[in-house]
Amino acid sequence: MTGNISQDLKAGALFYHRNPRPGKLEIKPTKPLGNQRDLALAYSPGVAAPCEAIVADPAEADNLTARQNLVAVVSNGTAVLGLGNIGPLASKPVMEGKAVLFKKFAGIDVFDIEVAETEVDRLVNVVAALEPTFGGINLEDIKAPECFEVEERLKLRMNIPVFHDDQHGTAIIVAAAVTNALQLGGKRIDKVKIVTSGAGAAALACLNLLVSLGAKRENIWVTDIEGVVYKGREALMDRWKGIYAQDTDKRTLDQVISGADIFLGLSAGDVLKPEMVKKMGVRPLILALANPYPEILPEVAREARPDAIICTGRSDYPNQVNNVLCFPYIFRGALDVAASTINEAMKAAAVKAIAELAREAPSDVVARAYGGETRNFGPDSLIPNPFDPRLILRIAPAVARAAMESGVARKPIENFDAYTDSLNGFVFRSGFIMKPVFSQAREEPKRVIYAEGEDERVLRAAQAIVEDGIARPILIGRPAVVETRLNRFGLSLKPGIDFDLINPDDDPRYRDYVATYLEVTGRKGITPELARTLMRTNQTVIGAVALLRGDADALICGVEGRFNSHLRHIRAIIGTAPGADDFAAMSLVITSRGHYFLADTHIREEPTAHELADTAISCAAHVRRFGIEPKIALLSHSNFGSSDSASARKMREVLELLREQAPDLEVDGEMQADAALSQLVRDRSLPSSHLKGAANVLILPNLDAANIAYQFARVLADALPVGPILLGQAKPVHILTETVTARGIVNMTAVAVVEAQANDVASGKGVAAKG
C-alpha cells in the first residue's frame, strides 16, 4: 500500500468505497429472527440462559457466543504503510480492509477498532479491556518502538492471542523465504551473514525470528537512516534495536554489505546499489521489500548478480512477500484451539508449513488457478502464491498442533482429519472463484469489443480492464460522446492508446461491414437497405460483424436492450459452434455459502433431455476454466424417483445420456435442490449417489425454473452474479443483461478472453497455457 497511486486508481478506489453503500463491512445475524419465539430466544427472556451458563463456566462463552471466531484489528494510525502517521480516523479504511482479508481468506469475523491514543500505558489499558469481547487481537500500523512495548505488555496481561502483524506476519514470510533460499544455496542459517536496511518493527521482528531459527546475532548487521547500528550509537536507538548493535567502526550499508548472504530491505527505494550487490556472497538472497519501489529492482539486481535470488513486496514480480500468506491462517489455527497466545513455536510451525508448501509439486487446482502455470520450487518460487487454496490447509493445522504441543491450547483438536475436512469445506465456500480466470486472461490478453461503448458502466469497466491488463477494449460509440463521458466520470482512458473505437456514424470499414453482413444474412430476410441502416444504428450487429471478420477476438453486448433482441442478431451473424444445435446460457452466483453455476437461465424454454445433456457437458467445460472440478446435480421437484411427472422423467433421461456421453462427469439426479446442496440430505434418500459433497453445477428442467432460481439466489442471497455465460456459440460472445454492473462487465470480459484463448489453441493459432 502506498500514497503514491495513479489518479485513475484513486478515483476508482473512492468510488468503490462509496458505492453502493459506504465502507466495506456490515454485521449480519447468524440465527433466524423471523417470529416472536426467535426474538425470545435471541434476547429477553431466553438470553438469560447462556448468560448464566457463562457465569458458571466462562469457557462456555466459546460455545454460546461469536467470541472465539472474533478478532479485533486495533490501530492508532501512527504508522500506516506508505502513508505514515495519518491518525486513527484516516486509518479506518485500512483496518476495514484487513477485516475483509480475515473474513475472505479464513472465515474470521473482525471488528476494526481505531483508538485515538498514542501514549503506551493508556493504549495498553484500552486494548486489554477488550478481552471479554474477542478471541484474539491483531495490532496494526502502530509505530516503532512503541509497538514493541504495546505488544509485549499486552501479551503479559491478556489470555488471548495478541499478534502485531506488521512485525510477525512479515517475519514469518521472510523466514520461509530464507529457509528455502538457504536450501537452494546449500547454506546453513547459523553460518550466513545477514545485512538489513531498515530497523523498524518489521525488520527487527524478522531478525528476531531468524535468530530463534538459528541465525547468530554476531552475523547480523543492521543499518537504518542513521547508518550502521553500532555499540555506543545514541541517535535513533532503543533497547530492541540495541540488541543488534555491532562493535565496529563501519558506518554505512556499503561498508557492511561485503560477503553478505542475505540482504533484508524494509526501508526505502533504491538504497541498495548494483555495486553493493556485486560485493555480496555466492548466490545471495535479496529481500527488497520496500513498496512501491524496492531497495533495488529485481532486473537491476539480476544484471549485477545473475546468481541472486530475489524477493519483493510487489505482485508483479515473483516471490512476493505478502502478509496475507500467513496472518489469516495463523489466527485460524490459534482460534480453533482457543490458544492463549501466539508463541514462537506456533510462528515456527507457520514458517515450516509455508516453506514446505512452496516445495510441493503444484496441484491441478493451483495450476488451473494460475493459467496452467505450474512453476516448480526454485529461485523464482521460494514462497507460495497468496491465492494458493492449500495455504489454510497447511498453516492452520500446523499452528493448531504447535499450540497444543507447546501447552497453550485450551481446546485441543481431537481429530485432525475432520478438522482438515472442515477447512476444505471453507476453501470451497470462499475461494476467489474469478481469480483463475483473471490470471489466465492476463497471460494472453485479447481484443474485446463492447457494443454499448458509450454506457457509463462499460467505460468504467474499460478503465479497470486496461489497468488489470486482461484485454484490449474496442468501444462502439461516437468519439465526441465517449470523450465527454470519460471526462465527466473522471476516467483517463485515451482512444488509440488505451482502447480502440468504432464510430457507427463514420467508420472506414462501413462498406466492408455491410457486405459481410449481407453475405451471412442475405437469405434471412435482411435487405441491402436494412443492412446499411443496421450497420449505422445497431451496435450489436456492428460488434458481431467485427468479431466475424476477425477485427476483434470477443464481443460483449446486452448492457442495453432486451436479451432476446441481441440473441437474434448473434444467432444470425455468429451462429453456433460445430456440433451445437443451439445456444444455451449458464449463470454463476457467488454467495457466502459457495459458488453455483445454473443452466439454462436465459434461452431454452423447454429443453429436451438431449439438449440438457449437451448443456451440462458444455457447463462442465466452462466450469473447469475457473479451476473447479464440476459436480453436477440434475434438479427437479422429484427426488430420486419420488415422482413420475414428465419433468422428472426428462431429468432421469438426462442422467442416462450423460453416463453414456460423459462417463467421467460427477453427476446425479433427478433430485431436489436441498439434496443437491447437502450430502446429509442426499444420503437420506440415496446413500449410493454418485455425487459426493455439495453440487456446484445445477441443471434445471426448463427456463422458468432456471431463471427464477437464478434471480432468487442473486437477490435473496445477496449474491454476486456473473453472466449469463453463453454456451454453444461459434465465437466468444456474451450477452449481458440491463442490470449488469461495471464489475460484472469486467468479470465477463475475463471469461470471454479465456474463451478466446481456448479457441485459438483449438484452432492452432494460440499457445497452450504454460505447464
Side-chain angles (χ1 to χ4, degrees):
M1 184 172 55
T2 173
N4 185 17
I5 62 176
S6 70
Q7 287 301 311
D8 295 331
L9 188 57
K10 182 177 180 180
L14 292 173
F15 184 86
Y16 173 88
H17 281 78
R18 286 185 176 127
N19 296 285
R21 56 185 289 182
K24 300 187 284 281
L25 298 173
E26 67 176 349
I27 295 174
K28 288 186 175 181
T30 60
K31 299 294 192 298
L33 294 167
N35 55 35
Q36 186 60 41
R37 173 71 174 175
D38 291 341
L39 293 174
L41 294 171
Y43 199 54
S44 180
V47 74
C51 292
E52 290 168 349
I54 294 170
V55 169
D57 180 4
E60 278 296 298
D62 294 352
N63 303 318
L64 296 169
T65 75
R67 180 177 185 262
Q68 204 49 44
N69 195 52
L70 185 62
V71 166
V73 171
V74 180
S75 180
N76 62 5
T78 53
V80 179
L81 182 62
L83 298 174
N85 186 356
I86 60 174
L89 184 60
S91 76
K92 187 171 180 64
V94 180
M95 303 313 136
E96 283 191 357
K98 193 81 172 198
V100 169
L101 296 179
F102 266 108
K103 185 67 173 180
K104 191 66 178 178
F105 283 95
I108 295 171
D109 296 314
V110 165
F111 291 161
D112 62 291
I113 298 177
E114 294 74 33
V115 182
E117 183 57 72
T118 58
E119 202 280 321
V120 169
D121 286 341
R122 288 196 290 268
L123 181 58
V124 167
N125 287 337
V126 167
V127 179
L130 299 173
E131 184 167 348
T133 302
F134 296 101
I137 303 290
N138 183 95
L139 300 174
E140 192 78 15
D141 294 345
I142 300 171
K143 74 180 183 71
E146 289 88 341
C147 62
F148 303 119
E149 185 76 26
V150 169
E151 185 190 40
E152 190 175 274
R153 289 166 60 177
L154 286 173
K155 291 183 78 168
L156 290 173
R157 285 181 59 174
M158 303 182 78
N159 198 39
I160 57 175
V162 178
F163 187 82
H164 187 205
D165 185 48
D166 299 331
Q167 294 182 55
H168 309 300
T170 302
I172 287 165
I173 309 304
V174 164
V178 168
T179 298
N180 282 341
L182 294 183
Q183 178 172 315
L184 287 173
K187 300 179 181 181
R188 289 173 45 180
I189 194 169
D190 61 337
K191 300 294 184 183
V192 294
K193 178 179 178 180
I194 303 170
V195 176
T196 78
S197 174
L204 293 178
C206 290
L207 295 178
N208 292 343
L209 185 54
L210 290 174
V211 168
S212 75
L213 296 175
K216 301 298 183 184
R217 283 188 177 149
E218 58 266 28
N219 296 335
I220 296 173
W221 298 75
V222 176
T223 71
D224 60 11
I225 196 169
E226 291 289 330
V228 173
V229 173
Y230 61 90
K231 290 183 178 179
R233 195 182 104 172
E234 297 181 358
L236 293 181
M237 290 296 291
D238 54 60
R239 64 185 175 93
W240 296 278
K241 192 185 301 183
I243 293 172
Y244 295 101
Q246 291 274 18
D247 187 3
T248 180
D249 58 0
K250 296 177 180 179
R251 295 293 182 264
T252 68
L253 175 61
D254 184 52
Q255 291 173 338
V256 298
I257 196 71
S258 181
D261 298 283
I262 299 169
F263 169 81
L264 173 60
L266 284 153
S267 55
D270 202 33
V271 301
L272 183 65
K273 306 299 182 184
E275 53 270 24
M276 298 181 190
V277 175
K278 291 178 181 178
K279 297 179 183 179
M280 294 182 70
V282 175
R283 207 169 191 185
L285 171 63
I286 297 172
L287 295 140
L289 306 183
N291 254 326
Y293 306 112
E295 285 78 4
I296 188 170
L297 288 169
E299 56 267 29
V300 176
R302 188 154 281 121
E303 183 177 355
R305 287 294 297 273
D307 63 335
I309 301 172
I310 306 162
C311 301
T312 71
R314 288 173 41 160
S315 61
D316 53 345
Y317 290 106
N319 293 326
Q320 182 193 14
V321 174
N322 187 333
N323 287 16
V324 80
L325 274 163
C326 70
F327 74 80
Y329 316 122
I330 288 173
F331 268 97
R332 181 72 279 156
L335 294 174
D336 289 342
V337 294
S340 60
T341 187
I342 294 175
N343 57 25
E344 293 305 307
M346 296 159 74
K347 287 187 279 184
V351 171
K352 186 172 183 286
I354 294 167
E356 288 179 347
L357 178 56
R359 297 196 293 268
E360 286 186 30
S363 70
D364 291 341
V365 172
V366 175
R368 288 197 299 267
Y370 294 95
E373 181 179 353
T374 55
R375 183 178 287 145
N376 292 315
F377 174 61
D380 287 335
S381 188
L382 288 182
I383 45 183
N385 192 292
F387 287 93
D388 192 324
R390 297 172 297 176
L391 284 163
I392 192 171
L393 305 177
R394 301 293 187 275
I395 300 173
V399 169
R401 197 181 296 276
M404 292 163 55
E405 292 173 352
S406 60
V408 298
R410 292 188 293 112
K411 295 172 63 177
I413 292 171
E414 296 180 2
N415 186 332
F416 267 89
D417 289 338
Y419 178 55
T420 302
D421 284 344
S422 71
L423 296 177
N424 260 315
F426 171 76
V427 170
F428 167 77
R429 291 193 303 274
S430 64
F432 286 78
I433 188 172
M434 290 303 299
K435 179 65 180 174
V437 181
F438 276 82
S439 296
Q440 176 66 19
R442 291 189 192 99
E443 289 288 314
E444 190 184 352
K446 296 294 184 180
R447 301 164 300 164
V448 180
I449 190 166
Y450 301 85
E452 297 86 3
E454 297 175 359
D455 189 279
E456 176 183 356
R457 293 164 293 173
V458 172
L459 294 173
R460 290 193 181 279
Q463 181 78 57
I465 289 159
V466 169
E467 290 175 358
D468 287 348
I470 62 173
R472 171 76 178 188
I474 304 170
L475 306 182
I476 300 176
R478 294 160 292 178
V481 175
V482 170
E483 183 177 359
T484 298
R485 293 184 178 180
L486 287 172
N487 291 333
R488 182 191 306 165
F489 305 139
L491 305 174
S492 66
L493 293 173
K494 301 296 181 187
I497 298 174
D498 301 309
F499 67 94
D500 299 312
L501 196 64
I502 292 179
N503 179 4
D505 290 342
D506 183 21
D507 191 277
R509 296 165 290 189
Y510 171 73
R511 292 181 183 276
D512 294 335
Y513 279 24
V514 170
T516 299
Y517 185 39
L518 279 171
E519 184 180 337
V520 297
T521 63
R523 293 182 179 272
K524 299 176 183 177
I526 301 297
T527 66
E529 182 178 354
L530 180 57
R532 287 191 290 269
T533 300
L534 290 174
M535 202 53 63
R536 292 286 192 202
T537 60
N538 192 298
Q539 294 100 315
T540 295
V541 170
I542 297 169
V545 170
L547 177 62
L548 184 66
R549 289 173 56 86
D551 294 340
D553 302 303
L555 167 64
I556 301 290
C557 63
V559 176
E560 299 170 2
R562 293 185 179 276
F563 184 93
N564 284 336
S565 297
H566 295 280
L567 180 63
R568 185 172 63 253
H569 294 302
I570 298 305
R571 183 179 274 122
I573 299 169
I574 300 300
T576 57
D581 294 330
D582 195 5
F583 301 127
M586 174 178 73
S587 296
L588 165 63
V589 287
I590 304 171
T591 75
S592 59
R593 176 170 172 163
H595 39 264
Y596 307 98
F597 298 85
L598 287 73
D600 176 357
T601 54
H602 285 78
I603 297 176
R604 289 170 167 163
E605 292 184 13
E606 287 291 343
T608 67
H610 285 275
E611 288 172 336
L612 285 176
D614 289 344
T615 297
I617 292 170
S618 295
C619 286
H622 272 273
V623 168
R624 289 191 177 101
R625 290 177 182 155
F626 288 81
I628 298 167
E629 195 58 35
K631 293 174 173 287
I632 304 173
L634 307 175
L635 297 191
S636 171
H637 74 287
S638 174
N639 214 27
F640 300 113
S642 64
S643 170
D644 201 37
S645 67
S647 66
R649 291 196 303 270
K650 178 169 71 172
M651 299 312 280
R652 285 176 220 148
E653 185 180 351
V654 175
L655 180 63
E656 293 175 5
L657 290 168
L658 288 174
R659 287 179 175 168
E660 292 174 7
Q661 299 171 18
D664 292 337
L665 282 181
E666 186 177 344
V667 57
D668 212 337
E670 85 286 8
M671 69 181 75
Q672 295 174 354
D674 59 345
L677 302 182
S678 170
Q679 176 86 48
L680 181 63
V681 172
R682 196 162 56 251
D683 284 347
R684 291 174 187 154
S685 300
L686 189 69
S688 62
S689 171
H690 295 283
L691 180 65
K692 302 303 177 186
N696 52 31
V697 180
L698 308 177
I699 305 297
L700 292 103
N702 58 38
L703 179 61
D704 283 345
N707 192 265
I708 291 169
Y710 165 64
Q711 299 294 352
F712 260 90
R714 186 175 69 86
V715 177
L716 296 185
D718 196 21
L720 169 65
V722 179
I725 300 171
L726 201 61
L727 307 173
Q729 70 277 39
K731 289 180 176 290
V733 52
H734 295 286
I735 306 168
L736 308 185
T737 62
E738 293 179 290
T739 59
V740 72
T741 63
R743 182 185 183 192
I745 295 170
V746 174
N747 284 337
M748 282 307 301
T749 297
V751 171
V753 169
V754 171
E755 188 177 350
Q757 291 171 350
N759 283 6
D760 280 356
V761 171
S763 64
K765 296 178 182 177
V767 178
K770 289 182 286 185

